[in-house]
Amino acid sequence: MGLRVAVLGLGEAGSLFARDLLAQGAEVAGYDPVPEKGVPGLLRAGSEAEAAAGSDLILSVNWARVALEVAERVAPVLRPGQVYADLNTASPALKERIARCLAPTGALFADVALMSPVPGRGLRTPALAAGPGAEAYRALLAPLGAPVRVVGEEPGAAQARKLLRSVFFKGLAAAVGEALEGARRLGLEEEIRKEIAQSLKEADEGLVERLVEGSRKHAQRRYEEMLAAAELLEGVGVEPLLARATAAWLRGLVK
C-alpha cells in the first residue's frame, strides 16, 4: 500500500497499533527507549527522529509528560505534508503547545483522543481527531478500519471531549470503589455490589437529566446526606474522598 508509519512509543497501545498496521501491509518504523520493546516485522529505529524521517504518518503514543519533548526532538526532520498525531491523554493546553512547536515544519498536527481501551481493538479503537491534520489522519487510517471522527480544527478539541467524559467514568469508578470498600468493612459488599449493578442496568437516557435536576432541587438534603455518608465511612476506617467532594459540590448548589 506504500504507507510508512512511525510509532513513537512501543508500550501496550503503540505495539498493538504497530502490529495491526503491519498486518495491513504498512511499513512501520518504531522507537522506544526500552530496548526490549518491539513488534515482529517492525523496523527498529535508533531515535524518534530516525523513525519519523520520511514517514507519512507519525504516531506519538508514549506519555503526556514527555509528549512535548518528543515533538521537539522530531521537529527537525519533519517536512510539509507529513501527519504528526499525538495520541497521548493530555490537557488541551499541552496539545496546543505541541501544535505550535510543529507548525513551522509544515507537518500537519492531529490531536487524537482514543475513546476506549486499545487491547482487543488495536487500530479499530474508536478515536476523535482535531487540529489541522485531523482530516488527513482520518483519510490515512479510516481505509484500514480505524473509526475516526473529526471534531474540529483546533488542537485540544478532541482531548477536551475525552477528558470531560473521563470526569464521569473515572469519577464513577472511584465512587463505586469507595462505596464498596465501606460496604466490605461492614459486611455488606455483595448486597451493595448487586444494588449498584442493578442501578447501572436500569439506567436510561433520562438519567442524566434526573441526576442534574434532582441534585439542584434537593441540594441541601443531599448535602447533609453525603456528610452523613462521609461520617459512616470514616467510622469504618475509609477516607471518604468522594463523599466529601460530593458534599462540597452539593453545598455549592444550595441557594
Side-chain angles (χ1 to χ4, degrees):
M1 58 178 290
L3 178 66
R4 178 183 167 96
V5 182
V7 179
L8 311 182
L10 297 171
E12 184 176 62
S15 293
L16 291 172
F17 268 74
R19 189 172 292 115
D20 285 356
L21 287 164
L22 287 165
Q24 293 277 7
E27 180 182 356
V28 182
Y31 172 79
D32 194 283
V34 179
E36 293 77 18
K37 291 183 178 180
V39 176
L42 181 91
L43 302 174
R44 186 67 186 239
S47 68
E48 291 106 341
E50 182 183 331
S55 293
D56 305 296
L57 173 64
I58 298 98
L59 304 179
S60 177
V61 199
N62 28 71
W63 293 94
R65 62 176 179 264
V66 299
L68 181 57
E69 296 173 17
V70 170
E72 290 171 342
R73 288 195 288 270
V74 167
V77 303
L78 295 183
R79 298 291 180 267
Q82 290 179 288
V83 178
Y84 185 101
D86 188 281
L87 281 66
N88 300 295
T89 300
S91 69
L94 178 56
K95 297 281 185 165
E96 291 169 2
R97 289 198 293 272
I98 295 171
R100 289 197 299 271
C101 166
L102 299 179
T105 71
L108 299 171
F109 175 73
D111 156 32
V112 178
L114 300 175
M115 301 304 288
S116 66
V118 176
R121 295 180 175 87
L123 195 59
R124 295 182 180 276
T125 303
L128 304 179
E135 287 288 358
Y137 177 84
R138 186 198 62 76
L140 288 171
L141 291 187
L144 305 184
V148 180
R149 180 165 70 93
V150 175
V151 294
E153 296 183 358
E154 291 299 317
Q159 204 61 214
R161 287 165 169 80
K162 175 173 181 172
L163 293 175
L164 289 172
R165 197 182 75 156
S166 294
V167 173
F168 168 69
F169 279 108
K170 275 59 175 186
L172 177 63
V176 169
E178 186 167 292
L180 288 180
E181 180 58 24
R184 185 185 67 79
R185 299 191 185 200
L186 288 166
L188 299 171
E189 182 176 6
E190 190 60 31
E191 177 182 340
I192 299 302
R193 183 183 293 272
K194 287 180 179 179
E195 287 192 17
I196 292 172
Q198 186 64 29
S199 296
L200 293 174
K201 182 179 179 180
E202 294 173 358
D204 58 22
E205 292 182 0
L207 178 62
V208 173
E209 194 63 23
R210 293 196 297 274
L211 289 173
V212 172
E213 291 306 316
S215 295
R216 289 174 178 164
K217 183 177 180 180
H218 305 292
Q220 181 64 45
R221 177 176 61 78
R222 294 185 180 183
Y223 163 67
E224 295 173 1
E225 180 180 336
M226 292 312 299
L227 290 180
E231 184 178 345
L232 168 68
L233 291 170
E234 285 179 323
V236 295
V238 176
E239 187 175 5
L241 297 174
L242 269 292
R244 286 196 195 116
T246 304
W249 178 73
L250 288 165
R251 184 70 183 86
L253 297 179
V254 176
K255 296 181 179 180

